[in-house]
Each structure stands twice: as C-alpha cells, then as structure tokens.
Amino acid sequence: MPKLFFKNIKEEGKTCPISKIPFKIGRDRKNDLVLESKIVSREHAQIVRAKEGLAIVDLGSHNGTFVNGNQIRKTLLRDGDEILIGEILILYQETIDEDIHFSGDDSPLDSRATIIRPIEDLAITGLLGRGTQHLRRKDQRIEQLERNNRNLITLYQLSEKLISSISLRELLDAIIELIFKSIDADRGFLMLIDEGENLIPKAIKYRDSASKGDEKITISRTIVNRVVQDRVAILTSDAMVDPRFSQGQSIYLHGIRSAMCVPLWRGRDIIGIIHLDSYRRTDQFTENDLELLMTIANHAAIGIEQARLNEKILREMQIRSNLERFHSPDVVNTIMQESAEGGTLSLKVEEKVATVLFIDIQNFTLLAERLNAPDVASLLNEYFSIMTDIVFEYDGTLDKYIGDAIMATFGAPYSHGNDAEKAVLAALKMRRELKRLMNRKEEKHRFDVRIGINSGNAVAGYIGSPKRLEYTVLGDVVNVASYLQSIAEPNEILIGEQTFRQVKKLFSLEEAGKKKVKRGISEVRFYRVIGKK
C-alpha cells in the first residue's frame, strides 16, 4: 500500500497510508489527510488513480502544490517524490520498501569466496586495471584496455548526469541504468538511508524485466551492516555456499550465485548502498567490477547529495516566494530561520498588538476617467511598487491591495518593539516619495493620497477560503485605521489615540478631532502628523 511520510513537521517520521482513492489532502477535518497549517487550503490537493499509477492533483489551492520543487496541476507520482504543500514536506513511498527482507544471519565474514575492500583503498589505478604491463598475452592486454575504455565511458556518462539539472528521482534511475550497461548483473537496487537511519529502496532494476516476480527481495543483514558500519565493499563469488547468504530462502528461489554490495559515501558519511547479484554462474563479478562499482558509488553519492540540496533549495525558494508576497525580507528571514530550527512555520491565528496603516488615492474615480486603461494600470503599478517597498523597508507586512488602497500592518507576525514608530515613519516617507513621483508626472497623471494609522489588539494569521488564503489582521483596530484614512485631507496623515501615546515624543503632532467611528466603538480621538521632531 502506498503511503506518505512526513519530513519537516513536529510529527516527523509519521506515516499515513493511502487507504482509499481519491485521497484528499487539506486543512479541513473532512480530508483523508488533515494538515494543520494556515497556508494550506481547506481542500488543497488529492491523490487519484491514473492509467500509469497514482497521480496528485492540485484543487486550485492558494499557495500551490509542488512535486520535487516544481509547481503542478496534476502529475504522476513515483516512489521517492517529495510533495510540498504549504510549508509541509511529504515523501511519497510506494510498496517497494515492503519487498525488501533482511535475512537474520549472523555468520562471520570470513568466507574464502569473498572479497572485502575498504572504500579508502579505492584508486584510479584499480579502476583502470592497474595497467597492462603485467599481462603477457596480447589478447589479455587488448581485453583490459577495452574494459578500461568502457569504465571511463561509464564515468563520463555518469558525470554528465551529475551536472545535468535533473531531479533526484531521475538521477537514481540514471545511476542504476548506467551500472547495468557496465556490469553484467541480473538484479540490482539502490537504497538510501532515511532520517530514521533505515535503508529505503529507491531504484530497482532487473536485466530481464519479465523475471520480476512477487517474491520478497532477500539480502543479508550481516552484509549490509558490515558495508554501512565498516565502510567496506563486499563481493561474494558464490552466494549459494556463502554462509551469510544461505540463510535467505530467496537465494535458492532465485538461484543467486554472485553478489556485490558497496556503500554510497560522502566523506565520513554513508548515505546508502548499491547491491548487485546474478543467478547465472559463480564468479559472475570480478575484482575490476567491484572497483568500478565502488567508483560509481562514490561519484553517485556526490550527485545524490547535490540533487537533495537542489531540491531543498527549490522548496525553500518556493516557501520564501509565498511569504515574500506578504512580509518584508527581514520578517521572511526570521520565519525561515524559525522554520529551520523548529521543523515547521510558526505562523498561526493569534491575538497581536499591531499597528495598521491605510493609504488611499483621493478621487481615484476621476483619475481613472481622464486616463485610458493602460495608463491607469501603469501608474498604479509604479505607485504600488514604491509604497510597498516602503512598507517592507520599515518591517511592515503587506496585508492587501484594496482597489487603489493599500493596507499594511506593523507588529504582526513579529513585533520589533517600536511598530507604531515604524508605521509613522513609513507614512512620512510615503508622502515624500509620492511628492517626488508627482513632480515627474504630467498634470493629468497627478493625484493625492490620504493616510490613516491606528494601534491596538488584533486577530492575526492566515485566513480565507479554500481558493484564497491570505495573511491578515482583523478587529476594531483595522476599522478605526480605515476610518481615519477616509476622513483625512489630501496628503494628510491621521493617527489614533493609542498610536499617539506611543509616538508623541518622537513626532510633531497636533490634535485633529474626535468622532464616533461606528456602533460598538467608543469615540475616537485622532491626531495629525506634522513631521519628525
């Protein structure tokens, strides 16, 4: 049964079997897999049956569904695929790992039919047959040179794969294919060590595809443990008489004669193994084959680690891209750092003390009437770009664009201790930059703005529908800020009383009035910002 394996949340290591089709994923409790994250849509994605197997489909989610770093609408799933939903990383696993059985042998590794080679002994001279000078017959020298040439071609082809921008899944398949082109094996598989220190098969190949049956694949636990723990490569010339393999029933079922097992290593770290075997005859593999496989494994490990790093970078870039739509670079960096340390994003719906800023173009309808549509769009894009950069400059969060208005918050999701001050500084710079912008424009393109700022308690977090989820703040603090903006004079900045209390020693202010905003909200006293003291 296929399953999903969680990689970067508090329940890391938890698995969820795909027990039904379609298999729905999202934030809503009605889903088959519930992901408790505010940047996951209520109905985010689902796994469905396709002609070639299982596929994942994005259900129009707000932040998208990604497989191996690529955003998808629908794509076929393969074993080992990494699915990114919101900030949660999920590994898709097929039943391949259930087909591996480790025999319970405990025989010593002293069989005379075995070669044990420490990986530190690997040298290019071994790979190339240590020259041909020791070979007396011409045909032997020619055979050795041909073998050396094939080995170099294999390494060249492997190098091409390693530097290509392919996914980890494609790289693993390419590695096992190249091995079979160079070494005459009947069966081979590549296994990687996961976060739980378990060996998980990632690529399996048979020389004859028709020979693949339903029998479990059996390998020696002693062999694997020795390869991983002692960092050695092992070749057995006759598995039928090797005591470490005789414990496995499938050795007889498949008639396995020869086998090789080498580690995938990077520096001092073993990240997996490559295993090959053959049922055709004893002595199927030579010492040259073992050294070639060791060399391939060493190069492959470099590529695997690089592919993993590339996919991690792609995931982080996508998460960062989603966050940068709302937050300043400093806030995004803080979120990403906390995510790396804690395993998941910390954003959630919670009560915050925040400062809210509204800036709106005065008489925008009249402006739109005297300009054509492309001119309006170009003017708004230039204006929004300048104003949004100012919000981010002062560590604010872009809440939303509302027509020609901008709503920004300071202090959510993170407080800097002087959020009200930063909001007023941002407003003052907005006014200055607007003046510079208008001085560059023709008369018919010019406009004024109104700015309102208020501080207080707010509910902050990712809120919305399954189709659209945004980071926002809610509460009376927002209503008052919006009201102050609506009554401001052209290019005037009005602030509420709580903002006034926090910044009165920093800015030149004057009282501008007192009004009741709406039912349920007491009378609001507000102030005009003249400038910085």
Side-chain angles (χ1 to χ4, degrees), residues 209-248:
S209 58
S211 67
K212 183 177 180 179
D214 296 328
E215 300 89 350
K216 290 183 181 294
I217 298 170
T218 302
I219 61 175
S220 163
R221 184 178 299 278
T222 299
I223 291 285
V224 171
N225 287 346
R226 179 71 185 272
V227 166
V228 173
Q229 294 171 10
D230 293 350
R231 297 164 48 82
V232 297
I234 294 176
L235 181 155
T236 179
S237 300
D238 194 342
M240 297 289 284
V241 301
D242 193 316
R244 291 155 301 151
F245 285 83
S246 62
Q247 300 281 339

Side-chain angles (χ1 to χ4, degrees), residues 146-164:
E146 289 176 345
R147 184 184 299 113
N148 294 347
N149 186 53
R150 288 195 301 271
N151 291 349
L152 288 173
I153 291 173
T154 298
L155 293 181
Y156 173 76
Q157 292 174 334
L158 179 59
S159 298
E160 283 189 320
K161 295 295 183 182
L162 297 183
I163 63 176
S164 301

Side-chain angles (χ1 to χ4, degrees), residues 325-327 355-362 364 379-393 396-410 423 426-427 429-431 433-434 437 447-454 470-473 477-486 492-494:
R325 296 167 52 206
F326 310 106
H327 308 295
T355 297
V356 179
L357 179 151
F358 277 89
I359 179 170
D360 181 59
I361 297 177
Q362 187 182 35
F364 176 75
L379 185 61
L380 278 180
N381 287 338
E382 186 177 7
Y383 162 73
F384 280 151
S385 177
I386 293 171
M387 298 300 122
T388 301
D389 286 346
I390 294 171
V391 170
F392 290 164
E393 180 183 346
T397 292
L398 174 65
D399 192 294
K400 60 176 68 71
Y401 299 118
I402 311 169
D404 59 300
I406 297 173
M407 175 182 168
T409 60
F410 298 79
K429 185 164 185 178
M430 287 174 172
R431 190 164 63 181
E433 292 302 317
L434 177 72
L437 177 63
F447 57 84
D448 298 311
V449 297
R450 300 173 301 194
I451 302 175
I453 301 173
N454 191 45
E470 292 182 340
Y471 188 85
T472 189
V473 295
V477 62
V478 179
N479 298 328
V480 173
S482 178
Y483 175 74
L484 294 177
Q485 168 267 310
S486 69
E492 185 177 52
I493 303 169
L494 295 182

Side-chain angles (χ1 to χ4, degrees), residues 15 38 94-95 104 135 138 182 199 203 224 254-255 266 300 312 335 362 370 443 457 464 528:
T15 59
K38 295 304 177 182
E94 293 179 346
T95 54
L135 300 177
K138 180 179 179 180
S182 305
L199 277 167
V224 171
H254 291 283
R266 287 286 294 120
K312 179 182 178 182
I335 293 171
Q362 187 182 35
R370 65 176 183 259
E443 181 65 31
N457 293 330
R528 183 179 298 110

Side-chain angles (χ1 to χ4, degrees), residues 43 102 293 335 446 455:
E43 295 178 354
F102 292 97
L293 190 59
I335 293 171
R446 294 176 183 173
S455 304

Side-chain angles (χ1 to χ4, degrees), residues 427-440:
L428 288 170
K429 185 164 185 178
M430 287 174 172
R431 190 164 63 181
R432 292 195 303 271
E433 292 302 317
L434 177 72
K435 185 177 180 179
R436 291 192 179 96
L437 177 63
M438 294 299 100
N439 288 339
R440 301 196 301 268

